[in-house]
């Protein structure tokens, strides 16, 4: 009975329809080794009887028409057909009821025994291309929207993750004697992924419902909507990864010479800011201010135009008016400059005319193999090459191990002023309108930098969807990536035929895909920097046990709750270590974890307590709750401890009023949070990243 997708699709196209009916889809599925309730259908009463006799009872009869998408809504599904009389009656009634529709026939199929209802679907996401959805049927999907998404193609791990991710997973594992065959379900998900890879014409698909059983499953209903044959933008990534299309952008991050077209000697102008940043941060390479009206800027010889510079230039920063940029880009390319950073604004963000200028720039640069950053960006900062290209004046920066890839210059420049006290960046790369170099290029390049150990990204959109997944997946195996995705609206909701497409709100797809890529999704701006800061300073916990030392009982209790809420555990120390700890504690101290010193805590006793935890094989990490008023007294003693690779973080209520001590503590490498919940969250994120993503 099985049919090839191509035959079915071609027939449908010839008939001028893009909707594939249940029997057609099921026969394609059968061809893929997927079990269904059957594909046979009748065009006459006698045929219906013949099929019915070949099945066991009870049977189900359904209308098959290219004009009926939701069969049961129109009375087109008859369940529990027990005998031939009922077959004849149902056949007559249904053909009568649907006489106004083009009728392909009446399906006669096995009635599947009840199981746990599930739905699997496919939708096409504007960013990531084909995405697979999984959820449990009925209210789980309709009301609770308890579904998971992944970008296609799926790996075996992806399939497992998307099953485990839904809240209803507990029901699948087993509840009141009912359970589902998870290996079979996994195979089904991979089968659908494979079907999509082989047939990119499929735009949407619903298998709804599927009945899941303790052994096996049955696809009860299925539909497909055909789309355009897909030129696989989303498969590009894989091709590029294999073909080595990802560049480390080394000369952009470590140029020997930088020209600033539009450098200015007038304070307040952007061309002044950018050039001053390069000078004041002591960029060690050659600088070429380009300005026809100046002889020198900041004491450095100026040139009237790029072509007047006779030495080679690695990077040109462009700050001229948008409409002049194509010409300048051309001149840069003619001079053999490989990286052109366009910081000026007034492009695609301003509408059609700006978009035209962008296309011109791209067309000019492409034949030269030159790469463009921006436009509408704030350039690159690399503290290790003492290079600051920002549009805003940037104060002194430490050399750090954080990579930041950010869409908006504002995010990169404005926040540096404050954050530089408590976290150190390596490379900050702003991508602006990402005409050429986009977030995926930057993620890859920044991850290749040996100074960078942790990467955070601020994203408003993602270009080149599937390639992002492939690149991020590789990167996150080595270095953690924390992303904040803004614009979490349910974009792209239009009238859609399939159930899956209506559920594929843009944000839920992002969540699924970021997980698939091993990227940690930050809840908000502060969360992104909290996690980044912590991971830049502390190692990953290798166990889930947490040891809490506190000066105040309440904060210890809150921390203990937060640990449990975050799927971590309070370490129960080994008996000899418990004895050791008891000897240390004053009479009135009760519990052994949290160890609550009730306002009699000082740096010395804290160190001795922590050392017991360091010795323990069940402790993976530490939270110390410290008093803001005496925070400074802890800095050196805590810094001097050898934690043997176990992370520690400090919780300091009211930390914003003890900023000097907080900065000292942060500089000593110990992250400080205001609340126990934030500490527990960070520890949990780090532990789970290390366990599930790193070295996957
Ligand atoms: P539609 O979604 O087009 O309305 P379905 O084929 O999904 O039609 O049928 C509606 C409902 O009837 C299903 O959700 C399922 O509960 C039940 N059903 C349909 N076909 C069968 C079958 N072969 N075995 C058991 N139940 C069925
Ligand atoms: Mg259905």
């Amino acid at each position: 009975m099985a049919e090839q997708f191509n035959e079915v699709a071609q027939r449908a196209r010839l008939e001028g329809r893009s909707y594939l009916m249940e029997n057609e889809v099921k026969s394609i599925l059968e061809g893929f080794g997927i079990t269904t309730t059957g594909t046979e259908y009748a065009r006459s009463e006698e045929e219906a009887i013949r099929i019915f006799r070949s099945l066991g009872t009870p049977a189900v009869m359904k209308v098959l028409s290219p004009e009926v998408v939701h069969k049961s809504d129109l009375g087109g599904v008859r369940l529990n057909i027990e005998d031939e009389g009922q077959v004849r009656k149902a056949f007559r009634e249904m053909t009568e009821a649907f006489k106004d529709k083009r009728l392909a026939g009446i399906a006669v199929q096995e009635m599947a025994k009840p199981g746990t209802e599930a739905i699997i679907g496919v939708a096409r996401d504007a960013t990531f291309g084909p995405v697979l959805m999984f959820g449990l049927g009925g209210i789980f999907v309709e009301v609770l929207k308890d579904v998971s998404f992944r970008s296609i193609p799926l790996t075996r791990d992806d399939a497992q993750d998307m099953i485990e991710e839904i809240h209803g997973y507990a029901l699948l594992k087993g509840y009141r004697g009912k359970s589902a065959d998870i290996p079979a379900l996994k195979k089904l998900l991979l089968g659908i992924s494979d079907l999509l890879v082989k047939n990119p014409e499929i735009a949407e698909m619903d298998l709804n419902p599927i009945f899941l059983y303790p052994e096996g499953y049955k696809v009860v209903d299925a539909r497909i909507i055909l789309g355009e044959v897909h030129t696989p933008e989303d498969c590009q990534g894989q091709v590029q990864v294999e073909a080595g299309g990802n560049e480390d952008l080394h000369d952009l991050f470590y140029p020997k010479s930088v020209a600033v077209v539009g450098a200015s000697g007038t304070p307040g102008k952007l061309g002044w800011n950018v050039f001053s940043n390069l000078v004041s941060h002591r960029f060690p390479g050659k600088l070429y201010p380009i300005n026809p009206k100046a002889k020198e800027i900041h004491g450095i010889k100026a040139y009237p135009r790029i072509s007047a510079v006779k030495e080679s230039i690695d990077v040109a920063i462009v700050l001229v008016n948008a409409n002049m940029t194509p010409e300048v880009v051309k001149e840069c390319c003619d001079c053999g400059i490989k990286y052109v950073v366009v910081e000026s604004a007034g492009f695609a963000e301003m509408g059609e005319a700006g978009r035209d200028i962008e296309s011109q720039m791209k067309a000019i640069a492409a034949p030269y193999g030159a790469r463009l950053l921006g436009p509408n960006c704030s350039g690159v900062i690399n503290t290790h090459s003492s290079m600051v290209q920002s549009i805003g004046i940037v104060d002194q920066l430490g050399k750090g191990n954080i990579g930041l890839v950010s869409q908006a210059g504002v995010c990169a420049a404005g926040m540096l002023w404050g954050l530089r006290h408590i976290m150190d960046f390596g490379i900050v790369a702003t991508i602006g309108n990402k005409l050429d170099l986009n977030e995926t290029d930057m993620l890859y390049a920044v991850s290749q930098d040996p100074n960078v150990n942790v990467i955070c990204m601020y994203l408003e959109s993602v270009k080149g969807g599937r390639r992002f997944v492939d690149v991020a997946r590789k990167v996150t195996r080595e270095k953690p990536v924390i992303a904040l995705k803004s614009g979490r609206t349910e974009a792209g909701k239009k009238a859609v035929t399939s159930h899956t497409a209506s559920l594929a709100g843009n944000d839920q797809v992002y969540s699924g895909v970021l997980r698939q890529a091993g990227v940690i999704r930050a809840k908000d701006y502060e969360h992104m920097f909290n996690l980044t800061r912590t991971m830049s300073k502390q190692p990953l916990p290798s166990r889930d046990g947490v040891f809490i030392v506190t000066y105040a009982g309440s904060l210890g209790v809150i921390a203990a709750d937060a640990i449990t809420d975050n799927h971590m555990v309070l370490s129960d120390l080994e008996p000899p270590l418990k004895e050791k700890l008891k000897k240390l504690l004053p009479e009135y101290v009760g519990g052994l974890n949290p160890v609550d010193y009730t306002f009699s805590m000082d740096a010395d006793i804290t160190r001795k307590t922590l050392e017991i935890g360091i010795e323990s094989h069940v402790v993976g990490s530490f939270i110390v709750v410290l008093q803001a008023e005496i925070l400074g007294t802890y800095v050196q003693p805590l810094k001097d401890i050898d934690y043997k690779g176990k992370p520690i973080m400090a919780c300091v209520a009211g930390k914003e009023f003890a900023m000097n001590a907080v900065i000292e503590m942060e500089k000593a490498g110990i992250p400080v949070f205001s609340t126990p919940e934030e500490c527990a969250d960070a520890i949990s994120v780090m532990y789970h990243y290390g366990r599930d993503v790193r070295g996957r």
Side-chain angles (χ1 to χ4, degrees):
M1 261 294 120
E3 260 188 306
Q4 292 294 312
F5 174 83
N6 286 343
E7 296 167 40
V8 179
Q10 203 181 357
R11 196 167 58 229
R13 294 270 195 218
L14 283 175
E15 288 171 24
R17 60 186 163 100
S18 58
Y19 158 61
L20 302 188
M21 294 174 290
E22 175 180 332
N23 62 315
E24 296 175 313
V25 180
K26 282 180 170 175
S27 76
I28 295 166
L29 296 176
E30 293 275 347
F32 261 72
I34 291 167
T35 321
T36 75
T37 48
T39 59
E40 295 214 73
Y41 64 100
R43 267 156 300 192
S44 67
E45 220 174 288
E46 292 320 309
E47 228 179 335
I49 295 292
R50 188 182 53 72
I51 301 168
F52 177 74
R53 281 181 190 152
S54 72
L55 302 169
T57 47
V60 171
M61 291 170 74
K62 301 187 202 178
V63 65
L64 294 175
S65 162
E67 293 171 88
V68 180
V69 179
H70 300 284
K71 302 175 292 285
S72 49
D73 289 355
L74 301 173
V77 176
R78 302 290 177 95
L79 304 175
N80 274 315
I81 306 279
E82 301 273 3
D83 58 44
E84 292 182 14
Q86 287 177 351
V87 175
R88 288 182 193 282
K89 183 162 176 283
F91 189 93
R92 273 180 225 148
E93 285 173 2
M94 283 164 97
T95 40
E96 174 61 23
F98 290 92
K99 68 172 184 294
D100 296 337
K101 308 265 186 220
R102 268 155 61 206
L103 207 60
I106 303 291
V108 185
Q109 60 188 236
E110 155 196 357
M111 172 133 166
K113 62 181 188 322
T116 306
E117 278 192 41
I119 169 168
I120 292 177
V122 173
R124 205 166 280 283
D125 181 75
T127 304
F128 297 104
V131 290
L132 193 70
M133 183 191 85
F134 168 70
L136 296 189
I139 57 156
F140 290 99
V141 57
E142 305 286 347
V143 185
L144 303 174
K145 311 256 186 280
D146 181 19
V147 292
S148 55
F149 283 94
R150 290 294 182 274
S151 158
I152 290 172
L154 252 68
T155 63
R156 295 189 66 76
D157 284 346
D158 291 339
Q160 184 74 33
D161 288 348
M162 72 187 297
I163 297 169
E164 288 182 16
E165 188 177 308
I166 61 165
H167 298 297
Y169 177 55
L171 295 178
L172 297 179
K173 274 196 307 190
Y175 166 76
R176 291 195 176 164
K178 279 204 235 167
S179 67
D181 184 343
I182 300 213
L185 176 58
K186 220 163 124 176
K187 202 162 157 238
L188 175 60
L189 288 167
L190 289 166
I192 300 299
S193 167
D194 194 29
L195 176 67
L196 258 286
V197 170
K198 296 204 169 99
N199 303 293
E201 237 181 304
I202 298 173
E204 293 170 33
M205 170 151 126
D206 274 342
L207 308 186
N208 181 24
I210 302 158
F211 288 181
L212 305 176
Y213 303 121
E215 264 174 58
Y217 64 85
K218 259 190 190 140
V219 174
V220 171
D221 181 27
R223 69 175 68 105
I224 280 177
I225 314 293
L226 299 175
E228 307 194 338
V229 180
H230 208 54
T231 40
E233 182 26 8
D234 25 278
C235 300
Q236 232 175 42
Q238 278 160 310
V239 177
Q240 287 192 11
V241 172
E242 306 314 341
N246 295 320
E247 295 178 25
D248 64 12
L249 307 180
H250 180 271
D251 292 352
L252 174 62
F253 297 153
Y254 296 87
K256 294 194 197 65
S257 50
V258 175
V260 181
V261 186
S264 166
T266 313
K269 291 210 162 184
L270 296 184
W272 191 85
N273 287 358
V274 172
F275 201 70
S276 301
N277 276 330
L278 286 162
V279 172
S280 69
H281 288 267
R282 303 209 164 83
F283 176 67
K286 286 282 281 177
L287 287 176
Y288 301 100
I290 312 292
N291 184 329
K293 291 191 207 122
K295 283 223 148 33
E296 52 166 51
I297 296 175
H298 285 309
I300 298 170
K301 180 177 163 23
Y303 294 78
R305 47 195 311 129
I306 270 274
S307 53
V309 180
K310 295 304 169 203
E311 291 92 35
S312 82
I313 297 169
D314 290 332
V315 172
I317 300 170
V318 179
L319 279 154
V320 300
N321 278 345
N323 50 17
M324 282 165 66
T325 50
E327 203 185 309
V328 174
V329 169
K330 171 86 168 52
E331 204 179 323
C332 290
C333 291
D334 282 333
C335 293
I337 299 175
K338 192 145 176 254
Y339 296 105
V340 183
V341 179
V342 183
E343 297 195 16
S344 348
F347 295 89
E349 78 278 11
M350 302 296 287
E352 200 52 49
R355 257 194 296 277
D356 281 352
I357 307 178
E358 286 194 357
S359 323
Q360 287 174 40
M361 289 199 295
K362 202 171 181 181
I364 290 168
Y368 292 88
R371 305 299 310 256
L372 297 173
L373 183 60
N376 189 24
C377 74
S378 193
V380 174
I381 295 172
N382 183 359
T383 56
H384 298 276
S385 61
S386 303
M387 177 182 66
V388 174
Q389 304 179 346
S390 309
I391 298 191
I393 292 292
V394 174
D395 304 272
Q396 205 190 334
L397 297 173
K399 296 186 196 308
N401 63 351
I402 298 171
L404 167 65
V405 177
S406 169
Q407 197 138 12
V410 176
C411 172
M415 99 276 146
L416 278 177
W417 179 83
L419 288 182
R420 71 199 171 100
H421 297 296
I422 54 168
M423 56 203 285
D424 290 321
F425 292 86
I427 295 176
V428 178
T430 65
I431 49 181
N433 293 5
K434 46 193 179 178
L435 174 61
D436 174 24
L437 291 169
N438 61 31
E439 57 285 309
T440 309
D441 300 311
M442 276 303 172
L443 171 61
Y444 179 80
V446 169
S447 77
Q448 296 300 296
D449 189 277
N451 295 315
V452 168
N453 298 128
V454 47
I455 298 164
C456 65
M457 306 183 84
Y458 169 70
L459 302 169
E460 282 163 16
S461 66
V462 171
K463 267 191 178 174
R466 178 66 201 195
R467 181 173 161 243
F468 176 81
V469 180
D470 293 330
V471 168
R473 204 171 181 131
K474 282 198 174 165
V475 171
T476 54
R477 255 175 236 160
E478 316 255 320
K479 301 181 181 183
V481 177
I482 298 122
L484 176 64
K485 165 73 177 66
S486 65
R488 285 194 273 149
T489 49
E490 296 206 346
K493 276 220 166 165
K494 41 186 194 284
V496 278
T497 330
S498 77
H499 201 74
T500 305
S502 73
L503 281 163
N506 200 256
D507 193 62
Q508 246 186 321
V509 174
Y510 264 104
S511 288
V513 169
L514 290 176
R515 274 174 106 127
Q516 185 174 14
V519 173
I520 298 158
R521 184 168 189 180
K523 292 191 277 266
D524 54 43
Y525 193 75
E526 195 175 4
H527 192 220
M528 170 169 75
F529 286 120
N530 277 346
L531 294 177
T532 305
R533 176 163 61 95
T534 309
M535 290 173 106
S536 80
K537 293 178 186 186
Q538 290 290 320
L540 301 174
S542 55
R543 286 176 204 90
D544 60 358
V546 184
F547 190 45
I548 301 168
V549 185
T550 178
Y551 77 89
S554 57
L555 290 170
V557 176
I558 296 170
D561 281 353
I563 286 299
T564 317
D565 289 346
N566 281 281
H567 312 289
M568 302 292 282
V569 297
L570 280 178
S571 300
D572 183 16
L573 295 184
E574 295 90 333
L577 291 178
K578 275 189 186 150
E579 288 312 310
K580 211 167 159 179
L581 182 56
K582 278 185 198 152
K583 291 207 185 97
L584 207 59
L585 302 178
E587 296 270 289
Y588 52 86
V589 172
L592 296 181
N593 187 13
V595 186
D596 165 19
Y597 280 105
T598 326
F599 289 86
S600 68
M601 197 164 105
D602 63 20
D604 189 52
I605 194 97
T606 307
R607 177 180 54 78
K608 290 186 177 130
T609 312
L610 288 172
E611 276 165 359
I612 292 171
I614 293 167
E615 242 184 279
S616 162
H617 292 291
V618 291
V619 173
S621 60
F622 301 98
I623 295 175
V624 278
V625 184
L626 304 175
Q627 240 170 305
E629 340 36 322
I630 54 165
L631 185 60
T633 64
Y634 284 94
V635 175
Q636 199 56 41
L638 289 187
K639 187 182 178 184
D640 288 343
I641 297 172
D642 175 4
Y643 294 93
K644 304 237 161 70
K646 299 181 184 183
I648 177 166
M649 44 207 81
C651 170
V652 179
K655 75 162 193 171
E656 55 278 36
F657 307 106
M659 250 323 160
N660 290 336
V662 168
I663 291 171
E664 278 178 52
M665 192 64 102
E666 290 278 356
K667 292 215 186 292
I670 299 174
V672 184
F673 293 93
S674 323
T675 67
E677 290 90 344
E678 285 170 318
C679 291
D681 168 76
I683 288 181
S684 168
V685 168
M686 287 163 76
Y687 171 71
H688 290 100
Y689 164 74
R691 193 191 67 180
D692 301 337
V693 180
R694 172 72 63 94
R696 189 176 39 185

